[in-house]
Amino acid sequence: MKISFLLFTVIFISAIGFSQQRVGLVLSGGGASALAHLGVIKALEENEIPIDYISGTSAGGLIGGLYACGYSPEQIEEFVLSDEFLLMAKGKISEKNQFLFRDVDLTASAISFSVSKDSILRKSIPLNVITPTFLDFEMLMKMGHVSASFNKDFDSLFVPFRCVASDVVNKKSITFSNGNLNQAVRASMTYPLYLNPIRIHDTLYFDGGLYNNFPADVMYSEFDADYIIGSNVSQNANIPDERDMFGVLVSMTTTPTSFNLPCDEGLIIFPESNIGTFAFEKINEAIDEGYRATIKQMDSILKHIEKRVSKDELEASRIKFRSKIIPLNVSEVNSFERNHSNISFAQSTMIRENKSLSSDEFEKRYFRLNSTPEIAYMFPNFSLKEDSTFRLDLKVDKSKEFKIDVGGHFSSRPVNTGYLGLTYQNIGKLASAIHAESYFGKFYGSVRTDFKIDFPSVFPLSAKAYFVMNRWDYFQSFATFFEDVRPSFLVQNEMYGGIGVKTPVSNNSNTELDFRFFSLEDDYYQTDAFTNQDTSDITGFSGYSFSWDYEHNTLNRKQFANEGSNFLFKFRYVDGEENTYPGSNSILIDTIMRQHKWFNFETEFQSYFLTNRFMHLGFHMKSIFSTQPLFANYTASLLSIPYFDVLPDMNTFFLPEYRSSQFFGTGLNVVFSFKKKIDLRFDSYWYQPILKLSKGQNGAFQFAKLFKDSNFLMSSSLIYHTIVGPIRMTLNFFPEQKDPFAFQISYGYVIFNEKAIR
């Protein structure tokens, strides 16, 4: 009887012991390869192995943090395999969150860099390859919201959690057990020179893997785990070659990690992944390898862990935990700089007094604020208020005061143009910028200055004042860089200034009102038989113009796009006086003065409706209807009317056959993408003038019959899209020209300042 009782007692105590058995999971860093940890978790759950505690570093901290917030492995897998996650890893944002309203005007800039007025060099060198705006936002919504709902206590999460980051000033590893979970994980995964460091309580943090890439010691010291399972995809760096600069820097900035468990009760899984640190497009391979490696070790794991938690039990617990997360309702915004001074522009842009934001509205306004050029970076956290709504604590880094842009278009044809821009920008109660720029070259020269103000409001509004001078010099445009060119046969000068008011219609569309005064002068010859001794005809036109436009744009590049769409509708009213002065070869004798008024309606639509990895198919249409009257002579009239400029290079030629006051045209864009940055383009267009200008042999001119003389054009280009602009070989075909084929090799963007009214 006593023996039976003793045996029963032993069995009972053993059963209690196993039921209380606690399992800890340690996840190493390792970049994209560390996503193998997700496969490890999937295998453990499928075999009903409980996970009671988690500690992680870097990408291991990301996976561990998501799991600790109550996301299932399937939900995490769906997230990390999504297009949005790939955008996060590359420092981009989704199309729906791009905000066209705050895009700067298109220029030929290829390289931009910012400088600070108080330290030209030290504070102007960037510490990151990507800007993790989308990453920070997603971590706020997926982890920051959860931790704020549970008083920012990591022990109160679905699974108690720890992550580590590196205090690079004091050269030590720091363990996070409370605070903003999104901020702690972001600090843990701040890979040097890839992501910018963040500051928490005046301490600067980088990647936890610098000093502790496998936080098994944290698991052992922070939690009462009976059995520890480790998942490790990393290793200490090899002794570098003395000529390997990157290897030497890694050795200088890291401390070797012990990839062993601090106790006997445990096991380490080693997924064999050959995926690179930033190869986030191969995450699926990493997950599969983590799963396979865990299944291989499953017999050993099951032998040591007798406690089981079924999938149904786990899911019920997960649902119960997630039900306690307080719905997101943002009722307050606190925005500040590093020195804690207030940025009222951010608050006024995000939220109105006595109004709160739902999740969707919060996301829209957050990215609208982020698109402000005067803001370089902002990091968000949530805090729970007593009324169960949330306060957004937004740390804002202003853009450096001065921005310098350099670029242009450099071609084998004689249309080379350099570009230089300088901007001074500031933000406080208002966001403002003063900009000056210059294009310089024989073919095109321009000077532009403008002053822009963004007003702080949940319904954005901006106003600008500007002044522009343009000059085009059409010498023998079809010549190559090595040919001698004849004297200029056409020079156009413009000077205009005005004001504009713009407001968004949606994230990807704007509407703008503009009023300007202008003064134009065209110097031209009406015959090819002229010499340097001849004087040109001169037509001046001065007056004012009012315009309204609507634009929707999601094209993926500012030029030579292969995805997205663009729609533009523009109305313009023009009122001015013409003064035409005859030259030595003119058929006119007297000066002609006329008053002109007209309306202009322009519509343009382009869409890449079929896109895949290797091929992109697009449709492009443009039409203009104008009531513009004739000027004093044929050439003056031809120069003043609109033209069909559907190809960028058409702005560097003078092509009379594509000029008409009323026309429509359509084309097909076919783009083959051999590699990510290399495109082979074929663009073909049909052009139909509705009201075409015609010239008689005796110098008389008039509008011809409706729908007369349709035309076409073609272009093919091989383009390499570098990070500093496109390099291309292009063959254009304009069939009515004396030399219909125009070949060029070029670098840069064919973008000029807007013309005054043409």
Side-chain angles (χ1 to χ4, degrees), residues 89-302:
K90 294 181 178 180
K92 300 179 180 179
I93 62 175
S94 60
E95 180 181 299
K96 72 172 184 176
N97 287 321
Q98 295 171 5
F99 194 34
L100 181 66
F101 171 76
R102 290 202 169 101
D103 282 357
V104 297
D105 294 337
L106 291 183
T107 70
S109 171
I111 303 172
S112 295
F113 55 95
S114 300
V115 294
S116 177
K117 65 183 181 181
D118 58 348
S119 180
I120 297 298
L121 182 61
R122 287 181 58 200
K123 296 183 180 179
S124 300
I125 300 175
L127 291 175
N128 51 295
V129 173
I130 69 167
T131 301
T133 300
F134 195 21
L135 170 66
D136 293 338
F137 178 81
E138 285 294 305
M139 292 176 66
L140 172 74
M141 300 298 283
K142 285 185 164 51
M143 290 189 278
H145 175 209
V146 176
S147 68
S149 295
F150 291 91
N151 298 316
K152 303 186 180 182
D153 180 4
F154 297 178
D155 286 336
S156 298
L157 298 174
F158 179 66
V159 177
F161 174 71
R162 299 289 185 271
C163 67
V164 297
S166 299
D167 177 353
V168 293
V169 175
N170 296 302
K171 305 292 188 298
K172 62 180 181 180
S173 180
I174 300 296
T175 300
F176 291 98
S177 61
N178 55 56
N180 298 295
L181 179 60
N182 59 302
Q183 190 175 40
V185 174
R186 169 66 168 79
S188 181
M189 58 190 293
T190 301
Y191 195 90
L193 301 183
Y194 187 74
L195 295 174
N196 58 291
I198 62 173
R199 189 178 296 273
I200 305 175
H201 303 311
D202 292 327
T203 299
L204 194 66
Y205 288 102
F206 271 104
D207 195 293
L210 295 179
Y211 302 143
N212 188 351
N213 210 18
F214 186 65
D217 59 329
V218 173
M219 175 62 66
Y220 188 78
S221 62
E222 293 277 327
F223 297 119
D224 185 21
D226 300 298
Y227 194 83
I228 298 176
I229 299 173
S231 177
N232 178 36
V233 296
S234 189
Q235 61 183 0
N236 291 315
N238 296 324
I239 298 175
D241 187 290
E242 64 272 16
R243 295 165 296 179
D244 180 5
M245 183 187 71
F246 184 75
V248 170
L249 287 174
V250 169
S251 295
M252 290 172 59
T253 57
T254 61
T255 299
T257 294
S258 172
F259 294 103
N260 297 311
L261 296 178
C263 59
D264 295 331
E265 294 78 21
L267 173 147
I268 301 179
I269 300 166
F270 295 96
E272 296 179 0
S273 175
N274 295 319
I275 297 174
T277 302
F278 305 111
F280 293 100
E281 67 278 0
K282 297 182 179 180
I283 288 175
N284 208 13
E285 298 177 26
I287 296 173
D288 292 343
E289 178 53 36
Y291 182 86
R292 284 193 297 267
T294 307
I295 294 300
K296 288 180 182 179
Q297 300 267 36
M298 190 53 65
D299 288 342
S300 297
I301 296 172
L302 292 172

Side-chain angles (χ1 to χ4, degrees), residues 512-732:
E512 183 172 10
L513 295 172
D514 180 273
F515 180 83
R516 65 184 54 168
F517 289 97
F518 61 85
S519 177
L520 316 181
E521 181 183 296
D522 295 339
D523 299 4
Y524 53 91
Y525 295 92
Q526 298 190 63
T527 174
D528 290 336
F530 64 89
T531 67
N532 288 332
Q533 283 70 46
D534 288 318
T535 58
S536 64
D537 289 54
I538 299 175
T539 294
F541 186 54
S542 300
Y544 67 90
S545 167
F546 170 81
S547 68
W548 170 80
D549 69 58
Y550 167 84
E551 181 182 17
H552 176 89
N553 190 356
T554 63
L555 294 176
N556 63 331
R557 300 187 181 111
K558 65 179 178 180
Q559 208 159 61
F560 310 113
N562 61 13
E563 291 182 6
S565 64
N566 175 262
F567 173 77
L568 172 69
F569 175 80
K570 189 167 190 173
F571 162 80
R572 183 186 295 277
Y573 171 74
V574 179
D575 188 334
E577 181 181 70
E578 173 198 357
N579 291 273
T580 296
Y581 307 93
S584 58
N585 290 334
S586 178
I587 60 175
L588 300 175
I589 299 176
D590 299 322
T591 298
I592 294 179
M593 300 175 62
R594 292 177 179 172
Q595 195 74 24
H596 297 296
K597 299 178 182 180
W598 70 83
F599 297 98
N600 225 54
F601 300 89
E602 175 183 353
T603 303
E604 184 171 6
F605 174 69
Q606 183 173 23
S607 175
Y608 288 90
F609 56 88
L610 176 63
T611 64
N612 57 48
R613 183 177 177 183
F614 302 105
M615 181 179 176
H616 311 266
L617 188 60
F619 169 79
H620 193 181
M621 181 274 293
K622 183 172 183 177
S623 65
I624 287 182
F625 179 86
S626 176
T627 62
Q628 180 176 338
L630 297 174
F631 276 42
N633 59 59
Y634 170 80
T635 305
S637 299
L638 191 67
L639 292 175
S640 66
I641 60 180
Y643 57 97
F644 188 57
D645 58 340
V646 288
L647 296 176
D649 289 330
M650 295 182 76
N651 289 294
T652 66
F653 295 103
F654 181 64
L655 303 169
E657 64 270 30
Y658 301 109
R659 288 176 174 260
S660 176
S661 60
Q662 298 174 21
F663 66 78
F664 64 86
T666 184
L668 197 64
N669 313 113
V670 183
V671 185
F672 297 97
S673 298
F674 298 111
K675 289 191 175 181
K676 185 177 178 181
K677 299 290 186 180
I678 300 178
D679 288 344
L680 177 61
R681 294 186 64 98
F682 296 96
D683 303 294
S684 57
Y685 290 89
W686 171 72
Y687 166 76
Q688 177 62 63
I690 300 172
L691 197 60
K692 185 177 180 180
L693 192 64
S694 67
K695 181 181 180 181
Q697 293 183 351
N698 60 354
F701 64 101
Q702 61 185 359
F703 287 122
K705 294 181 180 180
L706 295 178
F707 298 98
K708 184 179 180 181
D709 297 334
S710 62
N711 209 331
F712 70 97
L713 60 98
M714 300 179 69
S715 178
S716 61
S717 298
L718 180 63
I719 308 174
Y720 175 43
H721 299 276
T722 74
I723 60 173
V724 290
I727 300 172
R728 64 189 173 102
M729 291 189 298
T730 299
L731 180 65
N732 294 307

Side-chain angles (χ1 to χ4, degrees), residues 67 80 117 188 196 363 373 379 418 450-451 456 459 530 564 720 757:
Y67 190 79
V80 299
K117 65 183 181 181
S188 181
N196 58 291
E363 179 177 359
F379 190 87
D450 61 70
F451 173 64
F459 303 106
F530 64 89
Y720 175 43
I757 58 169

Side-chain angles (χ1 to χ4, degrees), residues 296-538:
K296 288 180 182 179
Q297 300 267 36
M298 190 53 65
D299 288 342
S300 297
I301 296 172
L302 292 172
K303 183 171 66 175
H304 290 90
I305 301 175
E306 296 194 15
K307 180 183 176 183
R308 300 288 181 266
V309 178
S310 70
K311 290 281 285 185
D312 290 340
E313 288 180 273
L314 189 60
E315 188 58 27
S317 298
R318 189 174 279 126
I319 291 173
K320 182 179 179 181
F321 171 81
R322 298 286 301 176
S323 69
K324 296 178 181 178
I325 299 173
I326 299 172
L328 185 63
N329 191 0
V330 181
S331 61
E332 183 182 348
V333 175
N334 177 27
S335 57
F336 54 91
E337 288 186 86
R338 178 181 169 186
N339 60 8
H340 303 294
S341 60
N342 186 41
I343 304 291
S344 60
F345 179 90
Q347 295 165 227
S348 301
T349 300
M350 286 291 296
I351 196 167
R352 298 172 65 182
E353 190 175 356
N354 299 322
K355 297 288 184 178
S356 58
L357 302 175
S358 65
S359 179
D360 290 342
E361 190 66 23
F362 169 72
E363 179 177 359
K364 181 175 74 172
R365 295 187 188 177
Y366 181 90
F367 283 101
R368 286 187 169 190
L369 174 63
N370 176 75
S371 68
T372 306
E374 292 78 14
I375 294 178
Y377 177 68
M378 55 191 199
F379 190 87
N381 285 309
F382 280 140
S383 294
L384 184 63
K385 299 172 62 178
E386 291 184 358
D387 61 357
S388 295
T389 63
F390 290 87
R391 183 184 72 239
L392 174 68
D393 297 311
L394 197 62
K395 179 183 177 298
V396 177
D397 289 340
K398 293 182 179 180
S399 295
K400 296 181 176 68
E401 293 89 346
F402 295 98
K403 182 166 76 79
I404 300 173
D405 293 282
V406 179
H409 177 240
F410 306 96
S411 170
S412 56
R413 291 179 50 237
V415 290
N416 299 290
T417 306
Y419 172 82
L420 180 64
L422 176 64
T423 305
Y424 174 79
Q425 53 197 3
N426 191 29
I427 188 170
K429 292 183 178 180
L430 301 172
S432 61
I434 301 173
H435 176 73
E437 66 183 21
S438 175
Y439 289 84
F440 43 91
K442 177 171 173 52
F443 166 70
Y444 176 68
S446 178
V447 173
R448 175 186 174 96
T449 60
D450 61 70
F451 173 64
K452 184 197 72 167
I453 297 177
D454 272 0
F455 296 96
S457 171
V458 295
F459 303 106
L461 179 72
S462 73
K464 66 179 179 181
Y466 56 86
F467 176 77
V468 182
M469 291 191 297
N470 289 324
R471 186 177 190 272
W472 284 268
D473 189 343
Y474 291 91
F475 47 93
Q476 193 68 24
S477 298
F478 276 81
T480 67
F481 185 77
F482 302 100
E483 291 181 86
D484 292 331
V485 295
R486 299 179 56 188
S488 303
F489 68 92
L490 166 61
V491 176
Q492 292 186 297
N493 290 282
E494 298 186 341
M495 182 170 61
Y496 66 92
I499 56 174
V501 178
K502 182 170 67 172
T503 188
V505 177
S506 68
N507 271 14
N508 300 122
S509 58
N510 297 327
T511 184
E512 183 172 10
L513 295 172
D514 180 273
F515 180 83
R516 65 184 54 168
F517 289 97
F518 61 85
S519 177
L520 316 181
E521 181 183 296
D522 295 339
D523 299 4
Y524 53 91
Y525 295 92
Q526 298 190 63
T527 174
D528 290 336
F530 64 89
T531 67
N532 288 332
Q533 283 70 46
D534 288 318
T535 58
S536 64
D537 289 54
I538 299 175

